[in-house]
C-alpha cells in the first residue's frame, strides 16, 4: 500500500508539474528597437523596448537593464536604462523608451538588453533573458548630416547677394533709358 | 549454407565496433535497423568477394580507406534517403509572436510584417543561435520554394536556463496579392559540440491580401474625372435642347434686322493738324474726307466688322 501511495503521489506531482509548465508559466519576449531613421552624433537617438507576455500567467517583478549604452559613448538625455514592472499580465505587452545622444561618430554594435522576471511572488528562481539586438548601426558625423539636411539659410542668402549683379545691371540700364523719356515734356 | 553463416558471423565481429558506436550516438538509433538490412543484402549478394571488398557495394561517393568509415557510409546513405533536414533540440523551446499584423493569417502586401522569436535554453549546455530563415513556399507542397527572404544572421550565445528574443521583419511583394502561401520560418542553432539543429517556429499557410488603402491620389482623381464627364454630358444635352428649341420655335420670333447707318458719334479731331481742322470747321460739306454717308459707311464698313 505504501509503495502504491508513494507512486501515486509521485505521478500526481509529475503531472501537476507538467500542467504548470503548459498553462501557468509566464513567458516574456522582449524587443529592442532604435526608432531613428538616421543616427547622428550629438543628436537624439530613441530606443524603444517592448515586452510581450505570451505565457499563461503573470510575470512578476520584471526588470529591464540595458548596459549597452556606456557613458563613454552615449549621453543619457531622457528615460532610464533600467526599468521595472511589478507585474505583466498574460497576453499583454508593455513598452519603455529611452533617449540617448551619441557622443562620437562611427559604427556601433547595439547589443541586447537583459530582462529578468520571476514566475511567482516567492521569486525562487528568476528567469533571465535577452532582448533582441538592433545590430550594427552607423552613427553619422554631425557635419555630414548637416551638409545634407540643414536649411542652409546662410548659403541661400549669400547666393541671393551673388545673383544681384546679374539682375541689377540690366535693370539699371533700363531704368536709365526710361528716366530719359519720363522727364521730357510732350511736344506741342 | 554453413560457409554463408561462417562468413556472416566473421563480418559481424568486424562490424561490431561500428554498430556499438551507432547505438551510442542516440539520435540516429532508429536508423540502425535499416543500415543492418542494407548490409545484409549486400553481403548476401556478394558472397564470392572478401569482407574487405564491402566498400565496392556502395554506389557512389565511397572513398574511405578504413573499414569503419566504409561500413558507416551505407547507414549514412540510408539516413540521408529518409531524413536530410535538421531536427530541433530537445533542450530548446522556440516560440513565435507576430507583432505586426497581430492575430491574423492575412498579411497585407507592401506593408512590413514583423515578428519576435523566443528561444529558451532548458538544457545544460550553451547554444548559439546562428540564423533565421524565412521563405514562402507552395501551399500544397512545402518543399517547393517560391520566395526566399534574406536570412538574418544573429550568432548569439544563449547560456543554460536563459532566454533570448530575436526580431525579424519582411515585406510581402505586391505581386503576390490574393494568393495563399506557405510561410516557413526556421531558426538555426547549434550547441557546444557543433551539432546543428533547426526549429520550424512557423509552418502554416497564410494569405497575402491587398491592403485597404482608403483615399489616395489615384481614386481621388478617378472620381473627379467621372464627375467631369457627367458635367460634360449635361452641358451637351443642354446645348442640344436649346438648338432644338430654336429650330422649332424660334423662326418667327427673331425680328428682321434693319440697317440704321452710322449716327453722328463723337469723333476725336484733336490729332488732326491745325490747318485741316480749320478747313473742316469752315465748310462742313467740303471736308477732305467728305462724301455721302453711304460712301463713308461703305468705306468704313470693311474695317468695322
Amino acid at each position: 500500500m505504501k509503495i502504491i501511495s508513494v507512486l501515486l503521489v509521485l505521478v500526481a506531482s509529475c503531472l501537476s508539474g507538467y500542467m504548470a509548465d503548459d498553462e501557468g508559466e509566464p513567458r516574456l519576449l522582449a524587443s529592442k528597437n532604435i526608432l531613428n531613421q538616421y543616427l547622428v552624433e550629438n543628436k537624439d537617438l530613441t530606443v524603444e523596448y517592448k515586452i510581450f507576455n505570451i505565457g499563461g500567467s503573470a510575470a512578476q517583478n520584471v526588470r529591464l537593464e540595458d548596459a549597452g549604452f556606456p557613458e563613454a559613448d552615449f549621453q543619457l538625455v531622457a528615460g532610464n536604462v533600467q526599468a521595472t514592472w511589478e507585474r505583466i499580465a498574460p497576453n499583454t505587452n508593455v513598452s519603455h523608451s529611452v533617449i540617448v545622444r551619441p557622443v562620437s561618430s562611427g559604427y556601433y554594435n547595439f547589443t541586447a538588453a537583459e530582462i529578468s522576471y520571476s514566475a511567482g511572488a516567492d521569486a525562487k528562481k528568476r528567469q533571465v533573458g535577452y532582448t533582441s539586438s538592433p545590430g550594427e548601426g552607423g552613427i553619422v558625423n554631425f557635419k555630414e548630416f548637416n551638409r545634407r539636411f540643414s536649411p542652409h539659410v546662410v548659403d541661400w542668402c549669400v547666393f541671393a547677394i551673388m545673383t544681384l549683379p546679374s539682375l541689377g545691371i540690366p535693370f539699371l540700364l533700363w531704368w536709365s533709358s526710361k528716366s530719359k523719356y519720363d522727364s521730357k515734356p510732350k511736344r506741342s | 549454407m554453413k560457409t554463408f553463416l561462417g562468413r556472416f558471423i566473421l563480418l559481424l565481429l568486424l562490424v561490431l565496433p561500428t554498430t556499438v558506436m551507432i547505438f551510442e550516438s542516440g539520435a540516429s538509433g532508429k536508423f540502425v535497423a535499416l543500415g543492418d538490412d542494407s548490409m545484409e543484402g549486400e553481403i548476401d549478394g556478394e558472397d564470392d568477394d572478401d569482407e574487405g571488398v564491402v566498400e565496392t557495394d556502395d554506389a557512389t561517393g565511397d572513398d574511405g580507406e578504413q573499414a569503419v568509415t566504409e561500413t558507416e557510409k551505407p547507414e549514412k546513405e540510408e539516413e540521408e534517403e529518409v531524413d536530410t533536414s535538421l531536427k530541433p533540440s530537445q533542450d530548446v523551446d522556440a516560440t513565435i509572436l507576430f507583432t505586426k499584423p497581430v492575430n491574423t493569417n492575412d498579411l497585407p502586401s507592401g506593408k512590413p510584417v514583423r515578428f519576435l522569436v523566443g528561444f529558451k535554453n532548458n538544457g545544460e549546455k550553451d547554444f548559439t543561435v546562428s540564423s533565421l530563415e524565412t521563405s514562402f513556399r507552395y501551399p500544397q507542397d512545402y518543399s517547393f520554394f517560391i520566395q526566399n527572404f534574406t536570412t538574418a544572421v544573429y550568432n548569439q550565445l544563449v547560456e543554460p536556463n536563459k532566454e533570448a528574443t530575436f526580431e525579424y521583419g519582411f515585406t510581402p511583394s505586391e505581386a503576390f496579392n490574393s494568393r495563399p502561401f506557405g510561410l516557413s520560418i526556421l531558426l538555426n542553432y547549434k550547441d557546444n559540440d557543433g551539432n546543428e539543429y533547426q526549429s520550424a517556429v512557423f509552418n502554416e499557410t497564410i494569405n497575402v491580401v491587398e491592403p485597404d488603402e482608403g483615399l489616395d491620389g489615384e481614386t481621388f482623381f478617378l472620381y473627379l474625372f467621372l464627375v467631369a464627364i457627367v458635367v460634360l454630358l449635361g452641358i451637351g444635352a443642354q446645348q442640344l435642347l436649346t438648338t432644338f428649341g430654336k429650330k422649332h420655335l424660334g423662326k418667327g420670333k427673331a425680328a428682321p434686322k434693319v440697317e440704321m447707318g452710322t449716327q453722328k458719334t463723337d469723333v476725336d479731331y484733336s490729332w488732326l493738324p491745325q490747318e485741316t481742322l480749320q478747313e473742316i470747321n469752315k465748310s462742313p460739306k467740303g471736308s477732305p474726307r467728305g462724301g455721302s454717308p453711304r460712301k463713308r459707311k461703305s468705306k468704313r464698313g470693311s474695317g468695322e466688322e
Side-chain angles (χ1 to χ4, degrees):
Chain A
M1 275 310 290
K2 267 194 183 174
I3 298 169
I4 292 171
S5 59
V6 161
L7 274 173
L8 272 174
V9 165
L10 271 174
V11 165
S13 62
C14 284
L15 277 177
S16 63
Y18 188 68
M19 272 157 43
D21 276 342
D22 259 357
E23 293 171 0
E25 251 198 20
R27 176 81 188 268
L28 295 187
L29 294 182
S31 76
K32 170 179 165 181
N33 274 314
I34 296 180
L35 299 184
N36 285 39
Q37 205 181 2
Y38 288 99
L39 311 180
V40 190
E41 75 173 301
N42 293 326
K43 278 186 155 255
D44 292 345
L45 188 151
T46 311
V47 187
E48 189 192 34
Y49 304 90
K50 278 189 175 169
I51 304 178
F52 301 83
N53 186 353
I54 57 171
S57 78
Q60 313 270 6
N61 215 354
V62 183
R63 197 182 315 147
L64 170 75
E65 283 162 4
D66 197 351
F69 298 111
E71 276 303 313
D73 294 324
F74 291 94
Q75 193 186 25
L76 188 65
V77 173
N80 205 341
V81 286
Q82 294 179 357
T84 53
W85 289 267
E86 230 177 70
R87 190 175 176 276
I88 299 180
N91 288 323
T92 59
N93 57 37
V94 294
S95 74
H96 176 66
S97 312
V98 176
I99 301 181
V100 292
R101 196 174 285 172
V103 162
S104 54
S105 63
Y107 283 99
Y108 191 83
N109 192 16
F110 293 95
T111 53
E114 270 192 23
I115 71 164
S116 58
Y117 59 98
S118 51
D122 46 10
K124 193 165 35 168
K125 187 190 96 162
R126 281 184 79 75
Q127 172 74 296
V128 178
Y130 296 107
T131 65
S132 70
S133 55
E136 199 178 50
I139 301 176
V140 182
N141 202 1
F142 187 68
K143 273 193 188 162
E144 285 191 26
F145 181 78
N146 256 2
R147 191 184 304 162
R148 208 177 144 197
F149 290 105
S150 71
H152 297 285
V153 176
V154 176
D155 294 340
W156 282 110
C157 288
V158 170
F159 173 73
I161 292 166
M162 280 163 61
T163 56
L164 283 177
S166 61
L167 296 170
I169 290 171
F171 176 75
L172 284 172
L173 287 171
W174 170 80
W175 180 265
S176 62
S177 70
K178 178 186 178 300
S179 56
K180 279 187 211 159
Y181 287 96
D182 275 342
S183 52
K184 294 281 181 199
K186 281 196 178 175
R187 240 188 274 155
S188 61
Chain B
M1 273 309 280
K2 278 192 180 170
T3 49
F4 266 89
L5 261 177
R7 285 246 171 94
F8 179 57
I9 289 167
L10 197 58
L11 203 72
L12 256 188
L13 283 174
L14 281 173
V15 158
L16 193 63
T18 53
T19 49
V20 166
M21 272 166 50
I22 287 162
F23 274 114
E24 267 182 358
S25 57
S28 50
K30 48 181 165 168
F31 302 119
V32 171
L34 290 165
D36 279 343
D37 284 342
S38 75
M39 282 298 294
E40 279 173 12
E42 280 156 24
I43 292 157
D44 284 342
E46 306 264 329
D47 61 324
D48 292 333
D49 304 335
D50 254 355
E51 310 83 43
V53 195
V54 166
E55 69 261 32
T56 58
D57 293 344
D58 297 328
T60 50
D62 216 52
D63 50 347
E65 297 91 336
Q66 296 163 13
V68 173
T69 49
E70 278 152 9
T71 48
E72 255 192 329
K73 282 242 167 97
E75 269 121 4
K76 248 196 185 165
E77 279 182 26
E78 205 62 35
E79 261 182 59
E80 278 174 336
E81 271 173 55
V82 176
D83 191 2
T84 50
S85 61
L86 303 168
K87 293 248 150 207
S89 163
Q90 302 297 321
D91 297 329
V92 163
D93 181 26
T95 51
I96 188 170
L97 172 75
F98 278 85
T99 54
K100 194 199 284 193
V102 280
N103 279 341
T104 172
N105 266 358
D106 294 334
L107 309 180
S109 69
K111 298 267 169 75
V113 174
R114 299 179 70 162
F115 55 87
L116 294 175
V117 173
F119 180 90
K120 185 167 179 179
N121 186 354
N122 288 324
E124 302 298 321
K125 297 189 208 164
D126 290 347
F127 274 95
T128 305
V129 176
S130 351
S131 61
L132 184 86
E133 300 167 2
T134 311
S135 53
F136 272 160
R137 315 255 182 120
Y138 192 57
Q140 278 81 37
D141 177 13
Y142 269 63
S143 62
F144 184 79
F145 282 73
I146 293 181
Q147 183 179 17
N148 222 346
F149 291 101
T150 309
T151 302
V153 174
Y154 299 118
N155 286 334
Q156 172 141 1
L157 179 71
V158 183
E159 294 91 347
N161 292 323
K162 283 209 176 166
E163 300 182 329
T165 312
F166 302 99
E167 186 163 19
Y168 189 87
F170 68 93
T171 308
S173 161
E174 278 168 15
F176 291 147
N177 264 340
S178 316
R179 281 169 66 180
F181 289 100
L183 175 61
S184 187
I185 301 174
L186 308 168
L187 186 70
N188 295 313
Y189 48 98
K190 54 183 191 242
D191 65 10
N192 266 354
D193 306 326
N195 295 323
E196 293 196 7
Y197 303 96
Q198 186 180 72
S199 276
V201 283
F202 190 83
N203 219 7
E204 289 169 27
T205 306
I206 52 98
N207 285 313
V208 176
V209 295
E210 235 179 69
D212 195 12
E213 276 288 310
L215 190 71
D216 66 338
E218 262 186 21
T219 46
F220 172 70
F221 279 107
L222 180 73
Y223 285 125
L224 193 67
F225 181 66
L226 288 172
V227 166
I229 285 186
V230 167
V231 169
L232 188 70
L233 286 173
I235 290 175
Q238 188 209 20
Q239 291 285 35
L240 266 175
L241 283 172
T242 46
T243 49
F244 241 50
K246 271 194 193 162
K247 259 193 189 174
H248 280 282
L249 309 164
K251 259 197 175 162
K253 275 199 179 168
K257 288 199 170 169
V258 178
E259 183 60 61
M260 303 294 273
T262 40
Q263 312 293 329
K264 182 171 161 67
T265 53
D266 309 328
V267 181
D268 179 26
Y269 290 116
S270 64
W271 56 276
L272 288 174
Q274 296 293 331
E275 301 87 20
T276 329
L277 276 176
Q278 283 158 13
E279 272 184 39
I280 289 171
N281 287 336
K282 272 185 195 170
S283 53
K285 287 186 189 170
S287 63
R289 289 170 56 102
S292 56
R294 245 179 261 137
K295 266 197 189 168
R296 214 185 288 160
K297 180 196 73 180
S298 65
K299 267 192 195 168
R300 288 236 180 125
S302 53
E304 247 179 44
E305 202 75 61

